């Protein structure tokens, strides 16, 4: 069994994706272009970013294992789920947690972190 670790999209602090042991671990992703926008807008962008990073690692949302979701206001849970449910409709539904939390930037409403099998 290989213990190689591949790190993608690194900066001075972290990698946005790490591949090891047949899994792809994504960092918590937030909106970039829609920062300051609605939960719907930010969620759509984040899920597109997840699709991109998973594809770069040779996998897809069909292989999701886990997901963690942070919302700045749990009252937006239904708004988030409308976008999420459409996104996972034809994919493997991961084990998921969703909680309310303060995020590092007040313009951010959503953060999502996933793990997928390669």
């Amino acid at each position: 069994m290989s213990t190689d670790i591949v790190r993608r999209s690194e900066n001075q602090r972290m990698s946005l994706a790490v591949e090891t042991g047949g899994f792809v671990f994504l960092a918590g992703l937030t909106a970039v272009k829609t920062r300051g926008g609605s939960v719907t807008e930010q969620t759509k962008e984040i899920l597109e970013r997840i699709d991109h990073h998973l594809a770069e690692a040779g996998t897809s949302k069909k292989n999701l294992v886990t997901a963690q979701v942070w919302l700045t206001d749990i009252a937006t849970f239904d708004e988030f789920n409308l976008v999420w449910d459409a996104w996972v409709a034809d994919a493997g539904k991961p084990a998921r947690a969703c909680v309310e939390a303060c995020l590092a930037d007040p313009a951010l409403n959503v953060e999502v972190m996933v793990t997928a099998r390669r």
Side-chain angles (χ1 to χ4, degrees), residues 13-79:
R13 183 171 299 127
M14 59 190 264
S15 300
L16 290 184
V18 175
E19 302 169 43
T20 189
F23 289 93
V24 179
F25 303 88
L26 296 189
L29 298 179
T30 58
V32 176
K33 298 175 191 166
T34 58
R35 186 178 234 112
S38 71
V39 167
T40 297
E41 294 166 328
Q42 289 188 26
T43 301
K44 285 179 181 177
E45 179 188 344
I46 292 164
L47 298 179
E48 287 173 6
R49 292 184 68 207
I50 289 171
D51 285 335
H52 167 80
H53 287 290
L54 291 178
E56 252 190 357
T59 191
S60 74
K61 65 185 175 185
K62 291 182 188 261
N63 295 315
L64 289 176
V65 178
T66 64
Q68 294 84 41
V69 179
W70 296 272
L71 301 172
T72 58
D73 183 352
I74 204 67
T76 62
F77 183 74
D78 291 339
E79 181 181 355

Side-chain angles (χ1 to χ4, degrees), residues 6-19:
V6 176
R7 300 174 198 284
R8 297 181 184 272
S9 300
E10 289 182 272
N11 63 30
Q12 73 279 6
R13 183 171 299 127
M14 59 190 264
S15 300
L16 290 184
V18 175
E19 302 169 43

